């Protein structure tokens, strides 16, 4: 017999096994059951398919980090647990997310903290090291999914984008001290991590740490010495993850058992400000508490809203939260970032940097650990072409996106077109008012459009009166129209016109 791979999958699309450590409910991976070939038969190894190939074979982008090995097996198989990692291949995909002059760390593949074996991606957070940033260029993935002319993706109500990933925050509540998030953005216009520093905690509170901590300013309730939120810049990005530097009381003078900036909840950036999600803040349910081990995050990005979902596997049973957040940034995306944007210290009165952005000045928060990402998938959505006019058979028009228009029953007039100039003809040209007959009401419209031979009508809407589509409204068109006259409330013959 050849070797066989078997996989256990739960109803949420996540893998459940028992070899990760930390308790059987928290262990997530793929089971491989390998049966050797008989002696004398050529031995081969068929490994289990990857999480991506099973769950999201048509995704715009999907990475379970399980094929970064030397040698890589045939797609969609995962690496052997004993294979060497291909660091170069990983960094060609998840590129260094900064200018080379900015001193920050790189995200790297890892063999720990995964939810599907054998790899994950680690992203540093420690107080003694620089923060991490990685950038994925979505343009070639959009071209592969939608066509060579399309380099960005957009989410709409009819074609929402879904971004999902797992972040393993380790144990001992390290995720609540972490500064790590996933972000969809347009180019380099990313969510703000710029900050103001507190006074030294040792002077603010007896027994406090001999240090100053940053507080990200672009949030509600930021310190008074931050620039006013009302003048904050709008950014072409949305982001979600763990962000301890949103803590507006990082010295914790009233509770010195909390040693540094600390944020219990999942944080979301809407394009304008960060939100620490919690029950009652937006329509939804659940309190968005980040937990030990695996935190499953899913964003469903529509035209003007984002559904944020968090499922944590540490409690028993699993803990689920969701809410609907209005989008401030409603445009397209061509980048996916992971980690923490290089921040700068802000001036007091303006959203301008006092210092050069970097990841070493503030580093990570104490106890932040090394979170791991796994099973990152981006699917749904549509190619960005720019909105345009969408015409309907009742001659009405709305401005929308190319992929949405046919789903609404319309005909797209082209990217950049406007309804004010669009020519939206009835399905049956002579029946202008679409009441199933061709009578004097329709003739009145037609008569006003007559131009004569070789004369194009001035009113673009009169192009619908050009029955033979030769660029004018003349005697030939009149003959066709009269041949379709049926009278009021008498159904017209749909075959009457050429």
């Amino acid at each position: 017999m050849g070797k066989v791979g078997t996989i256990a999958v739960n109803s949420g699309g996540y893998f459940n096994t028992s070899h990760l450590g930390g308790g059987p409910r928290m262990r997530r991976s793929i089971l491989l059951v390998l049966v050797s070939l008989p002696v004398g038969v050529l031995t081969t190894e068929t490994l289990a398919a990857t999480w991506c190939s099973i769950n999201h074979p048509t995704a715009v982008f999907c990475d379970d980090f399980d094929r970064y090995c030397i040698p890589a097996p045939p797609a969609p198989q995962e690496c052997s647990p004993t294979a060497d990692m291909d660091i170069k291949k990983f960094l060609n995909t998840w590129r260094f997310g900064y200018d080379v002059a900015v001193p920050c760390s790189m995200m790297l593949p890892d063999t720990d903290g995964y939810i599907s074996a054998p790899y994950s991606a680690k992203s540093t957070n420690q107080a003694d090291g620089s923060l991490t940033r990685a950038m994925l260029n979505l343009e070639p993935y959009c071209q592969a999914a939608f066509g060579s002319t399309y380099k960005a993706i957009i989410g709409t109500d009819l074609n929402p984008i879904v971004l999902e990933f797992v972040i393993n925050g380790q144990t001992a509540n390290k995720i609540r001290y972490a500064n790590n998030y996933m972000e969809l953005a347009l180019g380099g216009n990313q969510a703000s991590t710029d900050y103001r520093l507190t006074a030294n905690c040792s002077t603010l509170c007896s027994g406090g740490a001999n240090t100053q901590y940053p507080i990200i300013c672009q949030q509600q309730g930021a310190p008074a010495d931050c620039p006013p939120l009302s003048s904050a810049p709008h950014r072409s990005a949305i982001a979600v993850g763990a962000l301890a530097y949103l803590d507006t009381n990082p010295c914790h003078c009233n509770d010195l058992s909390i040693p540094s900036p600390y944020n219990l909840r999942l944080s979301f950036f809407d394009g304008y400000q960060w939100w620490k999600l919690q029950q009652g803040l937006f329509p939804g349910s659940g309190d968005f508490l980040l937990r030990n081990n695996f935190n499953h995050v899913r964003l469903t990005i529509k035209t003007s809203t984002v559904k944020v979902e968090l499922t944590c596997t540490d409690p028993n049973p699993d803990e689920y939260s969701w809410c609907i957040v209005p989008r401030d940034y409603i445009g397209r995306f061509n980048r996916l970032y992971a980690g923490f944007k290089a921040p700068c210290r802000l001036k007091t009165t303006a959203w301008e940097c006092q210092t050069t952005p970097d990841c070493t000045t503030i580093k990570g928060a104490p106890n932040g650990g090394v979170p791991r990402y796994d099973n990152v998938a981006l699917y749904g959505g549509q190619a960005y072409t720019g909105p345009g006019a969408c015409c309907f058979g009742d001659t009405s028009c709305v401005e929308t996106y190319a992929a949405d228009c046919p789903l609404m029953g319309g005909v797209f007039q082209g990217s950049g077109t406007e309804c004010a100039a669009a020519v939206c003809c009835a399905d049956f040209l002579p029946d202008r008012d679409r009441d199933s007959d061709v009578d004097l009401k329709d003739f009145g419209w037609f008569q006003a459009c007559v131009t004569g031979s070789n004369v194009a009508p001035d009113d673009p809407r009169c192009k619908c009166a050009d029955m033979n589509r030769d660029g004018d409204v003349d005697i030939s068109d009149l003959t066709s129209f009269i041949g379709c006259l049926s009278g009021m409330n008498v159904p017209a013959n749909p075959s009457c016109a050429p």
Side-chain angles (χ1 to χ4, degrees):
M1 294 187 299
K3 296 187 176 183
V4 179
T6 65
I7 304 170
V9 186
N10 74 10
S11 60
Y14 300 108
F15 302 114
N16 297 271
T17 65
S18 56
H19 77 274
L20 274 184
R25 272 187 24 79
M26 293 181 258
R27 304 166 193 159
R28 307 273 175 165
S29 187
I30 294 179
L31 282 172
L32 301 180
V33 180
L34 302 177
V35 182
S36 299
L37 285 168
V39 177
V41 179
L42 179 63
T43 300
T44 60
E45 186 177 81
T46 302
L47 297 171
T50 64
W51 181 87
C52 284
S53 67
I54 295 171
N55 290 279
H56 299 294
T58 62
V60 175
F61 172 79
C62 186
D63 200 344
D64 48 23
F65 306 105
D66 295 336
R67 301 193 73 251
Y68 294 113
C69 59
I70 303 171
Q77 295 169 6
E78 68 175 14
C79 298
S80 165
T82 60
D84 292 329
M85 284 191 225
D86 190 339
I87 304 297
K88 182 177 180 181
K89 181 180 177 182
F90 179 91
L91 294 178
N92 282 337
T93 303
W94 293 94
R95 302 174 185 175
F96 189 51
Y98 299 103
D99 183 275
V100 292
V102 178
C104 302
S105 297
M106 293 182 288
M107 190 167 73
L108 294 170
D110 197 61
T111 57
D112 192 16
Y114 51 77
I115 198 169
S116 63
Y119 300 147
S120 61
K122 66 180 178 181
S123 189
T124 59
N125 269 269
Q126 300 99 319
D128 58 352
S130 64
L131 291 161
T132 308
R133 191 63 162 170
M135 184 274 288
L136 178 86
N137 182 6
L138 289 173
E139 292 184 3
Y141 298 98
C142 290
Q143 289 175 310
F146 303 121
S148 60
T149 61
Y150 305 113
K151 295 184 178 181
I153 187 172
I154 194 164
T156 68
D157 290 344
L158 295 177
N159 289 288
I161 299 171
V162 179
L163 170 66
E164 66 174 82
F165 62 92
V166 177
I167 183 168
N168 183 340
Q170 305 173 291
T171 57
N173 285 326
K174 290 181 179 179
I175 190 67
R176 298 178 178 185
Y177 298 93
N179 287 285
N180 243 285
Y181 54 87
M182 281 276 176
E183 175 177 22
L184 283 167
L186 181 63
N189 195 348
Q190 303 159 54
S192 176
T193 54
D194 299 334
Y195 63 93
R196 294 287 295 169
L197 281 174
T198 64
N200 194 301
C201 293
S202 64
T203 63
L204 289 175
C205 45
S206 175
N210 184 27
T211 188
Q212 294 174 275
Y213 291 121
I215 302 174
I216 292 173
C217 284
Q218 208 153 330
Q219 62 165 315
Q220 292 285 353
D225 62 350
C226 282
L229 183 61
S230 60
S231 62
H234 296 260
R235 301 178 186 270
S236 303
I238 60 172
V240 65
L243 207 53
Y245 288 146
L246 291 177
D247 189 346
T248 56
N249 178 32
C251 293
H252 294 284
C253 296
N254 58 337
D255 187 357
L256 295 181
S257 66
I258 301 176
S260 68
Y262 178 81
N263 182 5
L264 293 166
R265 292 180 170 85
L266 188 72
S267 299
F268 180 77
F269 184 79
D270 63 7
Y272 183 64
Q273 70 174 80
W274 285 99
W275 300 93
K276 290 180 282 189
L277 300 177
Q278 57 186 292
Q279 181 77 50
L281 186 62
F282 296 105
S285 177
D287 218 17
F288 290 93
L289 294 173
L290 294 166
R291 301 293 191 177
N292 289 327
N293 295 300
F294 298 116
N295 296 271
H296 306 267
V297 180
R298 180 182 285 118
L299 302 182
T300 303
I301 305 164
K302 296 188 174 183
T303 304
S304 59
T305 62
V306 179
K307 183 179 183 180
V308 185
E309 298 173 87
L310 173 66
T311 302
C312 303
T313 62
D314 190 32
N316 187 6
D318 290 358
E319 193 171 77
Y320 175 71
S321 303
W322 70 275
C323 68
I324 305 294
V325 185
R327 288 178 65 179
D328 181 79
Y329 174 63
I330 58 173
R332 63 194 185 274
F333 307 103
N334 62 4
R335 297 289 187 272
L336 178 64
Y337 293 92
F340 187 87
K341 179 180 179 291
C344 75
R345 187 175 179 179
L346 288 167
K347 296 179 180 179
T348 303
T349 58
W351 293 92
E352 298 174 8
C353 291
Q354 292 187 43
T355 59
T356 301
D358 69 67
C359 292
T360 61
T361 301
I362 63 171
K363 300 186 179 180
N367 303 303
V370 184
R372 269 73 170 180
Y373 288 108
D374 206 359
N375 296 357
V376 180
L378 181 74
Y379 52 97
Q382 61 177 272
Y384 178 78
T385 58
C390 178
C391 282
F392 300 94
D394 62 358
T395 72
S396 65
C397 177
V398 298
E399 291 174 12
T400 187
Y401 293 96
D404 283 354
C405 184
L407 295 178
M408 299 165 68
V411 178
F412 193 62
Q413 304 300 298
S415 178
T417 58
E418 298 179 351
C419 283
V423 179
C424 296
C425 299
D427 296 330
F428 176 47
L429 290 179
D431 184 14
R432 178 63 180 176
D433 58 9
R434 285 178 54 89
D435 62 353
S436 299
D437 61 27
V438 180
D439 58 13
L440 291 179
K441 288 183 179 179
D442 302 302
F443 182 72
W445 157 75
F446 177 86
Q447 188 178 33
C449 290
V450 173
T451 61
S453 297
N454 302 317
V455 180
D458 293 331
D459 186 342
R461 290 169 294 184
C462 283
K463 291 182 180 180
C464 300
D466 182 9
M467 303 290 164
N468 59 7
R469 306 297 178 119
D470 65 352
D472 58 26
V473 183
D474 59 8
I475 189 64
S476 297
D477 303 298
L478 176 60
T479 300
S480 296
F481 185 90
I482 290 174
C484 291
L485 278 172
S486 63
M488 183 180 298
N489 299 325
V490 178
N493 178 6
S495 302
C496 64

mmCIF file of all heavy atoms in Angstrom, residues 30-56:
data_model
loop_
_atom_site.group_PDB
_atom_site.id
_atom_site.type_symbol
_atom_site.label_atom_id
_atom_site.label_comp_id
_atom_site.label_asym_id
_atom_site.label_seq_id
_atom_site.Cartn_x
_atom_site.Cartn_y
_atom_site.Cartn_z
ATOM 1 N N ILE A 30 -2.551 19.386 11.700
ATOM 2 C CA ILE A 30 -2.995 18.341 10.772
ATOM 3 C C ILE A 30 -2.425 16.995 11.189
ATOM 4 O O ILE A 30 -1.254 16.887 11.498
ATOM 5 C CB ILE A 30 -2.541 18.672 9.340
ATOM 6 C CG1 ILE A 30 -3.258 19.928 8.873
ATOM 7 C CG2 ILE A 30 -2.802 17.544 8.393
ATOM 8 C CD1 ILE A 30 -2.863 20.343 7.493
ATOM 9 N N LEU A 31 -3.263 15.977 11.243
ATOM 10 C CA LEU A 31 -2.786 14.634 11.519
ATOM 11 C C LEU A 31 -2.288 13.995 10.227
ATOM 12 O O LEU A 31 -2.960 14.030 9.203
ATOM 13 C CB LEU A 31 -3.943 13.778 12.058
ATOM 14 C CG LEU A 31 -4.353 13.959 13.525
ATOM 15 C CD1 LEU A 31 -5.626 13.169 13.765
ATOM 16 C CD2 LEU A 31 -3.251 13.471 14.431
ATOM 17 N N LEU A 32 -1.113 13.421 10.293
ATOM 18 C CA LEU A 32 -0.601 12.655 9.164
ATOM 19 C C LEU A 32 -0.507 11.188 9.569
ATOM 20 O O LEU A 32 0.146 10.850 10.557
ATOM 21 C CB LEU A 32 0.788 13.155 8.755
ATOM 22 C CG LEU A 32 0.874 14.623 8.359
ATOM 23 C CD1 LEU A 32 2.294 14.957 7.986
ATOM 24 C CD2 LEU A 32 -0.056 14.880 7.197
ATOM 25 N N VAL A 33 -1.185 10.332 8.855
ATOM 26 C CA VAL A 33 -1.110 8.900 9.122
ATOM 27 C C VAL A 33 -0.401 8.271 7.936
ATOM 28 O O VAL A 33 -0.951 8.231 6.835
ATOM 29 C CB VAL A 33 -2.512 8.289 9.310
ATOM 30 C CG1 VAL A 33 -2.399 6.797 9.592
ATOM 31 C CG2 VAL A 33 -3.241 8.988 10.435
ATOM 32 N N LEU A 34 0.837 7.834 8.133
ATOM 33 C CA LEU A 34 1.664 7.347 7.031
ATOM 34 C C LEU A 34 1.829 5.823 7.138
ATOM 35 O O LEU A 34 2.215 5.299 8.178
ATOM 36 C CB LEU A 34 3.037 8.021 7.074
ATOM 37 C CG LEU A 34 2.992 9.555 7.014
ATOM 38 C CD1 LEU A 34 4.403 10.106 7.130
ATOM 39 C CD2 LEU A 34 2.344 9.989 5.734
ATOM 40 N N VAL A 35 1.536 5.153 6.066
ATOM 41 C CA VAL A 35 1.637 3.689 6.022
ATOM 42 C C VAL A 35 2.687 3.319 4.989
ATOM 43 O O VAL A 35 2.592 3.743 3.839
ATOM 44 C CB VAL A 35 0.284 3.060 5.649
ATOM 45 C CG1 VAL A 35 0.384 1.543 5.643
ATOM 46 C CG2 VAL A 35 -0.794 3.535 6.610
ATOM 47 N N SER A 36 3.687 2.559 5.336
ATOM 48 C CA SER A 36 4.818 2.261 4.454
ATOM 49 C C SER A 36 4.411 1.312 3.333
ATOM 50 O O SER A 36 3.510 0.488 3.467
ATOM 51 C CB SER A 36 5.954 1.631 5.253
ATOM 52 O OG SER A 36 6.396 2.525 6.241
ATOM 53 N N LEU A 37 5.150 1.461 2.222
ATOM 54 C CA LEU A 37 4.963 0.544 1.098
ATOM 55 C C LEU A 37 5.605 -0.807 1.408
ATOM 56 O O LEU A 37 6.558 -0.890 2.188
ATOM 57 C CB LEU A 37 5.631 1.130 -0.150
ATOM 58 C CG LEU A 37 4.897 2.283 -0.827
ATOM 59 C CD1 LEU A 37 5.825 2.905 -1.840
ATOM 60 C CD2 LEU A 37 3.641 1.795 -1.484
ATOM 61 N N PRO A 38 5.138 -1.853 0.784
ATOM 62 C CA PRO A 38 5.778 -3.157 0.961
ATOM 63 C C PRO A 38 7.223 -3.129 0.467
ATOM 64 O O PRO A 38 7.588 -2.348 -0.408
ATOM 65 C CB PRO A 38 4.915 -4.103 0.110
ATOM 66 C CG PRO A 38 3.622 -3.384 -0.080
ATOM 67 C CD PRO A 38 3.948 -1.942 -0.054
ATOM 68 N N VAL A 39 8.058 -4.001 1.000
ATOM 69 C CA VAL A 39 9.446 -4.108 0.578
ATOM 70 C C VAL A 39 9.497 -4.458 -0.901
ATOM 71 O O VAL A 39 8.739 -5.283 -1.407
ATOM 72 C CB VAL A 39 10.179 -5.196 1.411
ATOM 73 C CG1 VAL A 39 11.611 -5.363 0.914
ATOM 74 C CG2 VAL A 39 10.169 -4.810 2.884
ATOM 75 N N GLY A 40 10.429 -3.794 -1.634
ATOM 76 C CA GLY A 40 10.592 -4.065 -3.046
ATOM 77 C C GLY A 40 9.795 -3.139 -3.938
ATOM 78 O O GLY A 40 9.979 -3.136 -5.157
ATOM 79 N N VAL A 41 8.876 -2.338 -3.366
ATOM 80 C CA VAL A 41 8.103 -1.377 -4.138
ATOM 81 C C VAL A 41 8.696 0.008 -3.915
ATOM 82 O O VAL A 41 9.084 0.341 -2.797
ATOM 83 C CB VAL A 41 6.629 -1.391 -3.712
ATOM 84 C CG1 VAL A 41 5.832 -0.368 -4.507
ATOM 85 C CG2 VAL A 41 6.050 -2.776 -3.900
ATOM 86 N N LEU A 42 8.788 0.827 -4.968
ATOM 87 C CA LEU A 42 9.343 2.172 -4.849
ATOM 88 C C LEU A 42 8.592 2.957 -3.778
ATOM 89 O O LEU A 42 7.378 3.096 -3.841
ATOM 90 C CB LEU A 42 9.241 2.904 -6.194
ATOM 91 C CG LEU A 42 9.755 4.342 -6.212
ATOM 92 C CD1 LEU A 42 11.261 4.364 -5.915
ATOM 93 C CD2 LEU A 42 9.466 4.996 -7.547
ATOM 94 N N THR A 43 9.306 3.466 -2.761
ATOM 95 C CA THR A 43 8.686 4.159 -1.646
ATOM 96 C C THR A 43 8.512 5.639 -1.972
ATOM 97 O O THR A 43 9.464 6.307 -2.357
ATOM 98 C CB THR A 43 9.543 4.025 -0.385
ATOM 99 O OG1 THR A 43 9.655 2.654 -0.075
ATOM 100 C CG2 THR A 43 8.894 4.744 0.781
ATOM 101 N N THR A 44 7.330 6.166 -1.808
ATOM 102 C CA THR A 44 7.049 7.586 -1.969
ATOM 103 C C THR A 44 6.294 8.055 -0.742
ATOM 104 O O THR A 44 5.778 7.255 0.025
ATOM 105 C CB THR A 44 6.196 7.878 -3.222
ATOM 106 O OG1 THR A 44 4.971 7.188 -3.081
ATOM 107 C CG2 THR A 44 6.910 7.447 -4.490
ATOM 108 N N GLU A 45 6.207 9.358 -0.578
ATOM 109 C CA GLU A 45 5.488 9.905 0.573
ATOM 110 C C GLU A 45 4.469 10.913 0.092
ATOM 111 O O GLU A 45 4.820 11.896 -0.551
ATOM 112 C CB GLU A 45 6.461 10.577 1.540
ATOM 113 C CG GLU A 45 5.802 11.034 2.825
ATOM 114 C CD GLU A 45 6.815 11.634 3.794
ATOM 115 O OE1 GLU A 45 7.159 12.816 3.603
ATOM 116 O OE2 GLU A 45 7.252 10.925 4.717
ATOM 117 N N THR A 46 3.201 10.651 0.334
ATOM 118 C CA THR A 46 2.140 11.578 -0.027
ATOM 119 C C THR A 46 1.698 12.308 1.226
ATOM 120 O O THR A 46 1.070 11.718 2.097
ATOM 121 C CB THR A 46 0.944 10.844 -0.652
ATOM 122 O OG1 THR A 46 1.390 10.123 -1.788
ATOM 123 C CG2 THR A 46 -0.132 11.845 -1.066
ATOM 124 N N LEU A 47 2.068 13.542 1.343
ATOM 125 C CA LEU A 47 1.745 14.314 2.533
ATOM 126 C C LEU A 47 0.338 14.882 2.434
ATOM 127 O O LEU A 47 -0.239 14.974 1.357
ATOM 128 C CB LEU A 47 2.756 15.442 2.699
ATOM 129 C CG LEU A 47 4.210 14.985 2.929
ATOM 130 C CD1 LEU A 47 5.144 16.175 2.853
ATOM 131 C CD2 LEU A 47 4.341 14.304 4.278
ATOM 132 N N ALA A 48 -0.191 15.301 3.585
ATOM 133 C CA ALA A 48 -1.522 15.905 3.604
ATOM 134 C C ALA A 48 -1.521 17.217 2.845
ATOM 135 O O ALA A 48 -0.512 17.929 2.789
ATOM 136 C CB ALA A 48 -1.958 16.129 5.043
ATOM 137 N N ALA A 49 -2.644 17.542 2.245
ATOM 138 C CA ALA A 49 -2.779 18.831 1.578
ATOM 139 C C ALA A 49 -2.741 19.948 2.610
ATOM 140 O O ALA A 49 -2.986 19.740 3.790
ATOM 141 C CB ALA A 49 -4.088 18.880 0.800
ATOM 142 N N THR A 50 -2.423 21.148 2.174
ATOM 143 C CA THR A 50 -2.320 22.283 3.085
ATOM 144 C C THR A 50 -3.705 22.811 3.463
ATOM 145 O O THR A 50 -4.699 22.523 2.801
ATOM 146 C CB THR A 50 -1.514 23.423 2.448
ATOM 147 O OG1 THR A 50 -2.224 23.905 1.304
ATOM 148 C CG2 THR A 50 -0.138 22.968 2.032
ATOM 149 N N TRP A 51 -3.731 23.619 4.517
ATOM 150 C CA TRP A 51 -4.974 24.257 4.940
ATOM 151 C C TRP A 51 -5.535 25.116 3.813
ATOM 152 O O TRP A 51 -6.744 25.127 3.569
ATOM 153 C CB TRP A 51 -4.703 25.112 6.177
ATOM 154 C CG TRP A 51 -5.914 25.807 6.717
ATOM 155 C CD1 TRP A 51 -6.816 25.310 7.609
ATOM 156 C CD2 TRP A 51 -6.353 27.143 6.425
ATOM 157 N NE1 TRP A 51 -7.795 26.249 7.887
ATOM 158 C CE2 TRP A 51 -7.530 27.382 7.167
ATOM 159 C CE3 TRP A 51 -5.855 28.162 5.609
ATOM 160 C CZ2 TRP A 51 -8.214 28.598 7.111
ATOM 161 C CZ3 TRP A 51 -6.544 29.369 5.543
ATOM 162 C CH2 TRP A 51 -7.710 29.575 6.298
ATOM 163 N N CYS A 52 -4.655 25.817 3.102
ATOM 164 C CA CYS A 52 -5.132 26.693 2.017
ATOM 165 C C CYS A 52 -5.774 25.895 0.896
ATOM 166 O O CYS A 52 -6.832 26.264 0.381
ATOM 167 C CB CYS A 52 -3.963 27.516 1.466
ATOM 168 S SG CYS A 52 -3.453 28.891 2.523
ATOM 169 N N SER A 53 -5.143 24.810 0.490
ATOM 170 C CA SER A 53 -5.677 24.053 -0.648
ATOM 171 C C SER A 53 -7.012 23.421 -0.318
ATOM 172 O O SER A 53 -7.835 23.198 -1.209
ATOM 173 C CB SER A 53 -4.672 22.981 -1.077
ATOM 174 O OG SER A 53 -4.531 21.982 -0.070
ATOM 175 N N ILE A 54 -7.260 23.123 0.944
ATOM 176 C CA ILE A 54 -8.528 22.523 1.344
ATOM 177 C C ILE A 54 -9.612 23.572 1.535
ATOM 178 O O ILE A 54 -10.737 23.431 1.059
ATOM 179 C CB ILE A 54 -8.348 21.716 2.648
ATOM 180 C CG1 ILE A 54 -7.425 20.531 2.415
ATOM 181 C CG2 ILE A 54 -9.693 21.238 3.185
ATOM 182 C CD1 ILE A 54 -7.021 19.819 3.690
ATOM 183 N N ASN A 55 -9.273 24.644 2.246
ATOM 184 C CA ASN A 55 -10.287 25.609 2.658
ATOM 185 C C ASN A 55 -10.483 26.762 1.671
ATOM 186 O O ASN A 55 -11.595 27.278 1.550
ATOM 187 C CB ASN A 55 -9.922 26.182 4.031
ATOM 188 C CG ASN A 55 -10.067 25.169 5.132
ATOM 189 O OD1 ASN A 55 -11.166 24.926 5.632
ATOM 190 N ND2 ASN A 55 -8.964 24.535 5.524
ATOM 191 N N HIS A 56 -9.427 27.187 0.985
ATOM 192 C CA HIS A 56 -9.530 28.362 0.112
ATOM 193 C C HIS A 56 -8.759 28.165 -1.194
ATOM 194 O O HIS A 56 -7.840 28.924 -1.506
ATOM 195 C CB HIS A 56 -9.025 29.608 0.838
ATOM 196 C CG HIS A 56 -9.812 29.937 2.064
ATOM 197 N ND1 HIS A 56 -11.133 30.331 2.014
ATOM 198 C CD2 HIS A 56 -9.481 29.901 3.378
ATOM 199 C CE1 HIS A 56 -11.575 30.541 3.241
ATOM 200 N NE2 HIS A 56 -10.597 30.283 4.090
#
